[in-house]
Amino acid sequence: VIRRGRSGEGGERGEGVAAALGEVVEPLTGRSLGELGLVDAALSGDAAEAAVVVRVALPSEHYPLADQLRASVAGAAERAGAAGVEVELRVLGAEEQMEVASRLRAIADPEPSADHARGVGAAPPSQRPNPFARPGSKTRVIGVTSGKGGVGKSSVTVNLAVAMARLGKRVAILDADVYGFSVPAMLGLELGPVPIGDLLVPPVAHGVRCISMGFFADDDQPVVWRGPMLHKALEQFLVDTFWGDPDVLVVDMPPGTGDVALSMAQYMPKSEVYVVTTPQPAAARVAQRSGLMARQLKLPVRGVIENMSWFTGDDGTRYELFGSGGGQRLAELLGVELLGQIPLERSLREGGDHGRPVVVADPGSEAAQAVVRLAERILELGPSRVWRRELRVR
Ligand SMILES: Nc1ncnc2c1ncn2[C@@H]1O[C@H](COP(=O)(O)OP(=O)(O)OP(=O)(O)O)[C@@H](O)[C@H]1O
Ligand SMILES: [Mg+2]
């Protein structure tokens, strides 16, 4: 709601400025200040030379981008004709934050089912709307798994997500690898999520929203506790995070145990699974297990991604450092397509270390192009039509 100044206080200039402020985009949610109800007032002084005073509310006491918002607000006011601008910021109160949170829930889940809608507010997580469980949900949940660690699962997750964002999709990542949260660093995230009312707004990098269990897990916590904890926490993260109605949610799944696959099957019934492996033929067997585990949970395995497939030397020679054929072999074992082969590339590793994914930092590289083709192929596949055996669509 744009509240204008009391009559006589606002003036025409104030009105024009208020309208312009309403259009300013709040960077974390990607929504306008008008939609969020964060513009308090734009008041122009009586004299023509007097500065316009704009009052804008920050959505949270932990809001990290106040300076950025102040600058865009001032810029918008100036472009709307204000000669001088004075920006006054305040923080929304608790009740106002809850109001913004419920607006964000409405944006994120535009058509909650009646059952779902009833649960908004202080209800336990299981009764609040989970946008990914809604039957009409359009979000494709893409689980990335592997048989063993270190095969590049997180690198694939991050680059695939960023590539899809660059292809124009709304994309989010859920870093659910309880044994090694690495997505925030690979994305170059410097901020954690911001609480607004009862909603958590994830940080955004390279156009991708990300929630990592690592934001909440204690580094010193024994790893054995994390799996069970995650299962409990996962539903809450799905329900209480502003995911922004993404086209795609990419999930970095932990290798090995089936905990997370089980949680995904339960809370995100439309999850699809993609298995990452290296070219070693022996690795295919290990990777096959994670595919079969997903299948036992009735999650469709859509394809295989081979990583570290070869290294291309300066003279163009391909060196198959980790052997060859593993991806194809795994695809055959699982009866699915080998969707892509990503070569070894120095800039991919460096990108991971420095938070600049290779598809952004070195888009011309062989690896980046392989990831983009992979993203296109997965989008082309379209959502799985078989969610559950009992719901088979022919
Ligand atoms: N195609 C590639 N070219 C060069 N380096 C790569 C490639 N894929 C992955 N790496 C590097 O290998 C290391 C392991 O990759 P990554 O962390 O993505 O694997 P992971 O399967 O998620 O591992 P973990 O089991 O630890 O979660 C990282 O340093 C990463 O930068
Ligand atoms: Mg990883």
Side-chain angles (χ1 to χ4, degrees):
V1 184
I2 300 178
R3 275 185 272 131
R4 305 245 158 70
R6 271 173 279 120
S7 62
E9 213 182 341
E12 257 170 52
R13 213 151 37 106
E15 305 252 322
V17 171
L21 294 182
E23 305 285 307
V24 171
V25 170
E26 188 289 302
L28 282 182
T29 57
R31 313 308 295 207
S32 70
L33 298 185
E35 260 179 300
L36 297 174
L38 296 178
V39 181
D40 283 342
L43 312 170
S44 57
D46 291 334
E49 67 276 10
V52 174
V53 177
V54 302
R55 295 191 186 138
V56 169
L58 300 177
S60 164
E61 53 274 42
H62 304 289
Y63 188 74
L65 303 176
D67 291 342
Q68 192 180 328
L69 195 62
R70 181 192 288 276
S72 24
V73 160
E78 272 159 22
R79 281 192 301 279
V85 186
E86 202 176 300
V87 182
E88 291 178 6
L89 298 177
R90 68 171 179 110
V91 175
L92 287 186
E95 263 176 45
E96 292 171 306
Q97 287 191 29
M98 290 300 280
E99 197 183 308
V100 172
S102 67
R103 280 176 202 210
L104 286 171
R105 283 187 198 280
I107 291 167
D109 191 9
E111 327 155 23
S113 66
D115 276 359
H116 277 157
R118 244 182 276 129
V120 184
S126 57
Q127 286 166 37
R128 289 201 291 275
N130 168 0
F132 304 105
R134 181 162 51 75
S137 168
K138 295 272 191 298
T139 303
R140 281 182 70 183
V141 179
I142 291 185
V144 181
T145 189
S146 67
K148 54 176 185 156
V151 301
K153 191 168 48 67
S154 303
S155 306
V156 168
T157 299
V158 165
N159 281 291
L160 188 61
V162 174
M164 286 180 169
R166 288 165 76 94
L167 290 169
K169 299 292 169 192
R170 284 195 303 267
V171 186
I173 295 181
L174 175 63
D175 177 13
D177 186 348
V178 277
Y179 306 109
F181 310 107
S182 48
V183 173
M186 286 184 172
L187 273 176
L189 282 175
E190 280 162 16
L191 303 168
V194 177
I196 301 179
D198 61 350
L199 205 57
L200 218 45
V201 179
V204 183
H206 308 292
V208 174
R209 260 176 239 288
C210 171
I211 285 285
S212 171
M213 297 298 152
F215 290 145
F216 311 95
D218 183 348
D219 273 349
D220 300 332
Q221 199 174 42
V223 156
V224 287
W225 290 116
R226 293 189 186 169
M229 261 191 40
L230 176 73
H231 180 76
K232 278 212 259 171
L234 188 68
E235 185 181 25
Q236 193 166 0
F237 283 128
L238 294 176
V239 165
D240 292 337
T241 294
F242 175 69
W243 292 105
D245 193 21
D247 300 308
V248 181
L249 176 67
V250 190
V251 184
D252 188 354
M253 298 165 70
T257 75
D259 304 23
V260 168
L262 184 65
S263 310
M264 285 174 69
Q266 193 175 338
Y267 302 133
M268 298 183 276
K270 292 187 177 177
S271 301
E272 314 165 25
V273 170
Y274 295 79
V275 188
V276 181
T277 192
T278 55
Q280 282 131 299
R285 279 268 166 221
V286 187
Q288 186 192 11
R289 276 185 229 134
S290 51
L292 294 178
M293 189 155 53
R295 239 176 227 168
Q296 267 171 15
L297 297 167
K298 309 228 162 49
L299 297 176
V301 177
R302 302 296 303 285
V304 168
I305 300 161
E306 188 184 85
N307 185 32
M308 311 189 177
S309 297
W310 57 77
F311 173 78
T312 305
D314 290 340
D315 60 353
T317 311
R318 274 189 186 180
Y319 300 93
E320 294 177 327
L321 300 179
F322 293 115
S324 68
Q328 190 55 46
R329 169 123 183 77
L330 176 61
E332 282 159 17
L333 286 170
L334 292 169
V336 296
E337 193 183 327
L338 172 60
L339 295 169
Q341 293 177 292
I342 305 168
L344 282 159
E345 187 105 36
R346 185 195 304 265
S347 56
L348 191 151
R349 203 260 310 144
E350 285 171 350
D353 291 346
H354 300 122
R356 303 248 319 136
V358 71
V359 292
V360 174
D362 191 7
S365 64
E366 204 187 351
Q369 289 178 356
V371 173
V372 171
R373 277 198 304 276
L374 173 69
E376 287 167 343
R377 183 73 195 107
I378 292 177
L379 293 174
E380 219 173 77
L381 276 183
S384 173
R385 292 194 304 146
V386 183
W387 307 123
R388 298 247 172 87
R389 200 155 296 158
E390 47 301 1
L391 295 179
R392 190 177 291 268
V393 179
R394 287 186 189 278

